[in-house]
Amino acid sequence: MDPSDPQSDDLVTLTDLTREFSSGGGFMKPRRTMRAVNNVSLGVPRGKVTGVVGESGCGKSTLARLVLRLLEATEGTVVFDGKNLATQSQTEMRKLRRQMQMVFQDPYSAIDPRYTIRRALLEPFQVQGDSKSAAEAKLAAEELISMVGLNPRMMASFPHQLSGGQKQRVGIARALALRPSFLVLDEPTASLDVSIQAQIIDLLENLKEELGLTYLFISHDLSLVRYFCDRVVVMYLGRVMEILPGPGVLPRHHYAHALLDSNFEPDPTRRKVVTMLSGEIPSPFATIPGCAFAARCPAATDLCNRERPPLADLGDGHMIACHHPMD
Amino acid sequence: MALLSVQDISVSIGVLSPLESVTFEIDKGEILGLVGESGSGKSLTAMCVMGLLPRIGGTITKGAIVFDGRDLTRLPELELRRLRGKRIALISQNPMTSLDPIIRIGAQIDQVSTLHLGLSAEAAKARSLELIAQLRIPEPAAIHRAYPHQLSGGMKQRIVIAMALAADPDLIVADEPTTALDVTIQAQIIQIMAELVRDRGLALMLITHDMGVVAQACDRVVVLYAGRVAEMNVIGEIFAAPKHPYTRELIRCIPRLGQEPGSLKGIPGVVPSIVDYPEGCRFNPRCSDAQALCRERKPALERKSTGLAACHFSEA
């Protein structure tokens, strides 16, 4: 399918996306380069929730920022609704940003502590040069705050007067202010208690239905991703290991399997003996010619150390990058 | 008699009362889960058991903490010092707060057994190497020479566990020991800790907010809510037949495999702030079963068909 076709099923298409960071360098010391995101190709289907899951350092948050062009890609392209983001001018990009917004992990730092909630909610309009009369602004802010299930009486409050869950609701309301079609959710519930996490997920589900949104949901919590997402992308050291087309599909990649195996079900009758992965996550600065997981994989062979497995389609959109997939 | 028995303790810090009538026991060879959301008093309970409350300006206003026949609340600081690290060890959430960044890993583990067991330098080192190996850390000798910054988070947490074990304690208090770690590492550490409890007949007080970890590892569970015990029961009953509505709702908040989309609902409202605890049952504003009585009278922690619960309306 041609990614530049706006009628495509995918709202966002990533092609060979790579982002490098380098550090160090100095007298007699070479600069070191790491690939936080390494050759990632991925479609984000319209109206669906695409989940990206992986452990710390797997590049999921860098990916989130690349998708919104909050970071420039080193190589590769991001096509949003038929438009290549890298070729958009500043002005065009600003217009496009109305359609693509982000909800951040830490609602404590995402809102200016000196702003009232009302001002925080109206900030997106101000940034976009969208001047509103006092009456219009009042209406817009009230609509947004009720949309996320907060009491309009909170409008005059400051962020420190709100709980974590309430602040994250404000974060979501701000992201929705400009009526975007696409939201990148970067661990939106990671700093919240479970009873509040479930509230926020419930809210996000309802908003998606009401507003016809498309989500890219970044998380380290596999059980949450499997509940909330239509497709699950498993990343490891900057690379896509496996794409599960549905939440019920069992992983066949050894890493994805280990990740699932490490996930404890809230059910004492289903305790498990965890198969322990040997070894540690390699340094992100290491250049790995073969499979990134080979060093810890129980099924690794010479081939895995030598050659990087391509992301191959097993059918029905189940993609896997493994030379020796599990049965 | 249980190894540790926390009997009806209440804590005050200034004008606040963050813990009220907390009661539970831990036996040898048992993992007791202490669960609750932020602000429920989990970590504070750990500090009480460790005798560290005065350090944050808190006092135990009521009750007793009996460890191996002695009431810790009445012991002088010097006596407590002899117990801490030797018979009661603490594992905290962030391993970096327990390790000195400029001292080699080996020296840090060694000093526990030289101090508490009176071992010679060589004997202490041999013991440390053995402990490192027991925690399935490859190349113990290399790790013994390494500095904390050379190890990953999961490795560091294993070193902290090795330090906790070095003096052969009877009770380990682990305060969210895996919260800062990735899931694959968390699974390994939980498994290792469960094995240690079984093999050594240790008692482990495992503080966590993660019901998955509780289901995997604990024998019995204490559920705290807003500074009070909501429920206490054996692990099977907690999940199969929770007696307190809060426990029931808390379990419902975790998505399960194959759960219908749209069926995950949180608990409405927020955890009350300590300066603003509601009258009666502290869960009543968020409880779907709440009635007038719940707003008026504080429910006592009572024996039910199994376990204990503090609810006016839970069935027997």
Side-chain angles (χ1 to χ4, degrees):
Chain A
M1 204 181 307
D2 178 11
S4 60
D5 171 13
Q7 296 308 307
S8 140
D9 279 356
D10 289 342
L11 179 62
V12 185
T13 311
L14 317 179
T15 314
D16 300 329
L17 200 61
T18 297
R19 168 71 198 201
E20 292 181 346
F21 293 102
S22 54
S23 83
F27 182 64
M28 301 288 281
K29 235 174 116 187
R31 274 184 89 73
R32 300 191 302 168
T33 303
M34 65 169 280
R35 290 196 162 178
V37 170
N38 191 338
N39 219 357
V40 169
S41 296
L42 182 68
V44 181
R46 264 174 224 275
K48 296 266 166 64
V49 185
T50 301
V52 179
V53 68
E55 299 180 275
S56 42
C58 76
K60 51 190 193 298
S61 288
T62 306
L63 187 76
R65 280 157 181 78
L66 287 173
V67 169
L68 296 180
R69 207 184 155 196
L70 297 175
L71 271 176
E72 299 290 338
T74 309
E75 273 168 52
T77 53
V78 179
V79 174
F80 176 83
D81 208 9
K83 297 183 190 77
N84 182 349
L85 293 193
T87 59
Q88 307 293 311
S89 69
Q90 286 286 350
T91 334
E92 288 166 326
M93 200 58 223
R94 176 157 288 186
K95 275 195 203 133
L96 265 179
R97 287 205 195 283
R98 289 178 157 257
Q99 294 173 47
M100 42 205 287
Q101 291 285 323
M102 185 149 174
V103 176
F104 294 92
Q105 172 174 352
D106 183 7
Y108 299 81
S109 55
I111 309 167
D112 191 319
R114 296 172 309 162
Y115 279 17
T116 60
I117 298 311
R118 178 188 157 80
R119 191 167 166 205
L121 289 174
L122 294 173
E123 197 185 11
F125 299 107
Q126 199 187 331
V127 170
Q128 286 282 342
D130 201 337
S131 56
K132 287 192 178 315
S133 69
E136 281 170 346
K138 184 169 181 285
L139 208 65
E142 273 174 8
E143 197 191 339
L144 282 170
I145 206 163
S146 343
M147 205 191 274
V148 293
L150 290 177
N151 192 326
R153 277 188 322 203
M154 280 180 184
M155 211 70 96
S157 308
F158 286 91
H160 71 266
Q161 295 170 301
L162 271 54
S163 69
Q166 289 167 338
K167 264 185 267 198
Q168 193 55 289
R169 285 175 190 263
V170 173
I172 294 168
R174 258 159 70 97
L176 292 174
L178 300 163
R179 305 273 156 197
S181 52
F182 177 53
L183 280 193
V184 174
L185 309 160
D186 186 8
E187 304 246 23
T189 62
S191 56
L192 305 174
D193 277 319
V194 279
S195 72
I196 310 298
Q197 163 174 290
Q199 286 179 5
I200 298 289
I201 294 294
D202 185 28
L203 171 69
L204 287 169
E205 277 181 317
N206 293 334
L207 289 170
K208 179 183 156 272
E209 292 307 318
E210 279 164 36
L211 307 172
L213 298 167
T214 300
Y215 289 155
L216 184 67
F217 182 73
I218 313 283
S219 178
H220 68 280
D221 184 341
L222 194 60
S223 48
L224 190 60
V225 165
R226 278 164 63 106
Y227 167 73
F228 186 48
C229 301
D230 302 301
R231 277 173 99 212
V232 180
V233 180
V234 180
M235 285 184 76
Y236 184 75
L237 275 179
R239 304 180 188 182
V240 172
M241 296 281 123
E242 186 165 15
I243 301 176
L244 302 167
V249 180
L250 281 177
R252 293 186 58 196
H253 194 288
H254 297 273
Y255 175 65
H257 177 80
L259 205 57
L260 187 67
D261 193 39
S262 303
N263 191 56
F264 297 138
E265 288 272 314
D267 182 351
T269 61
R270 292 174 59 186
R271 287 190 180 179
K272 44 188 159 194
V273 178
V274 180
T275 39
M276 301 220 185
L277 287 176
S278 57
E280 291 277 320
I281 300 176
S283 154
F285 291 102
T287 35
I288 301 164
C291 171
F293 188 57
R296 301 173 76 196
C297 183
T301 58
D302 276 351
L303 177 67
C304 305
N305 287 316
R306 224 170 39 235
E307 262 177 55
R308 177 169 173 177
L311 196 63
D313 198 341
L314 295 175
D316 299 330
H318 189 170
M319 313 277 280
I320 181 168
C322 181
H323 290 304
H324 312 290
M326 302 176 76
D327 296 325
Chain B
M1 170 125 201
L3 177 69
L4 177 80
S5 157
V6 173
Q7 299 165 356
D8 199 30
I9 56 162
S10 296
V11 164
S12 75
I13 301 176
V15 295
L16 304 174
S17 324
L19 279 187
E20 218 181 271
S21 303
V22 171
T23 296
F24 60 87
E25 290 185 344
I26 311 180
D27 271 317
K28 284 191 172 185
E30 180 182 54
I31 305 182
L32 178 86
L34 203 59
V35 297
E37 300 182 280
S38 42
S40 61
K42 308 185 292 288
S43 296
L44 207 59
T45 308
M47 292 189 92
C48 291
V49 172
M50 296 302 297
L52 294 172
L53 207 53
R55 309 272 174 106
I56 57 163
T59 43
I60 295 177
T61 52
K62 180 171 79 110
I65 300 175
V66 180
F67 173 76
D68 203 12
R70 286 200 288 176
D71 184 356
L72 301 184
T73 60
R74 294 170 187 281
L75 283 190
E77 175 63 20
L78 202 71
E79 292 278 316
L80 271 177
R81 278 198 174 195
R82 289 201 191 115
L83 283 179
R84 267 198 302 258
K86 177 158 170 54
R87 301 204 54 203
I88 308 176
L90 176 73
I91 299 170
S92 64
Q93 176 171 346
N94 183 353
M96 266 334 271
T97 57
S98 315
L99 294 171
D100 190 323
I102 58 164
I103 299 178
R104 289 181 199 271
I105 294 290
Q108 301 195 46
I109 311 177
D110 293 358
Q111 72 175 7
V112 179
S113 36
T114 43
L115 183 71
H116 288 298
L117 302 180
L119 294 188
S120 68
E122 284 110 284
K125 185 179 175 188
R127 183 176 171 77
S128 301
L129 289 174
E130 195 184 309
L131 282 167
I132 296 175
Q134 264 181 29
L135 291 171
R136 306 206 197 132
I137 301 175
E139 301 185 62
I143 298 293
H144 196 269
R145 282 191 304 273
Y147 285 98
H149 76 266
Q150 294 172 298
L151 306 186
S152 66
M155 279 296 180
K156 276 187 284 223
Q157 193 60 296
R158 286 188 218 193
I159 295 299
V160 172
I161 297 174
M163 278 170 69
L165 291 172
D168 223 354
D170 302 298
L171 171 68
I172 293 188
V173 176
D175 190 359
E176 305 260 10
T178 58
T179 303
L181 306 174
D182 278 319
V183 279
T184 54
I185 311 296
Q186 159 169 295
Q188 294 176 9
I189 302 251
I190 292 294
Q191 186 148 325
I192 289 172
M193 298 217 304
E195 282 171 17
L196 285 167
V197 169
R198 208 175 47 228
D199 298 347
R200 295 173 166 238
L202 282 169
L204 175 64
M205 178 172 148
L206 180 64
I207 297 177
T208 180
H209 68 278
D210 185 333
M211 291 304 264
V213 168
V214 171
Q216 171 75 17
C218 297
D219 301 306
R220 285 190 310 122
V221 181
V222 175
V223 181
L224 289 177
Y225 185 78
R228 287 186 192 155
V229 175
E231 176 166 6
M232 176 160 47
N233 213 332
V234 292
I235 183 78
E237 288 288 311
I238 284 280
F239 283 87
K243 304 288 184 289
H244 197 286
Y246 174 63
T247 315
R248 187 185 69 213
E249 296 300 320
L250 193 62
I251 293 165
R252 274 225 296 253
C253 285
I254 311 150
R256 286 167 188 250
L257 213 56
Q259 183 165 348
E260 276 296 299
S263 60
L264 188 73
K265 306 279 177 224
I267 307 177
V270 295
V271 180
S273 150
I274 186 166
V275 293
D276 198 17
Y277 280 146
E279 288 293 308
C281 172
R282 286 180 181 168
F283 187 57
N284 88 70
R286 303 177 76 192
C287 183
S288 54
D289 305 348
Q291 299 185 23
L293 179 63
C294 306
R295 288 182 279 277
E296 287 154 17
R297 218 176 64 212
K298 180 166 83 175
L301 190 63
E302 285 172 344
R303 197 155 287 286
K304 303 288 172 180
S305 57
T306 61
L308 303 167
C311 177
H312 291 305
F313 293 102
S314 79
E315 72 286 14

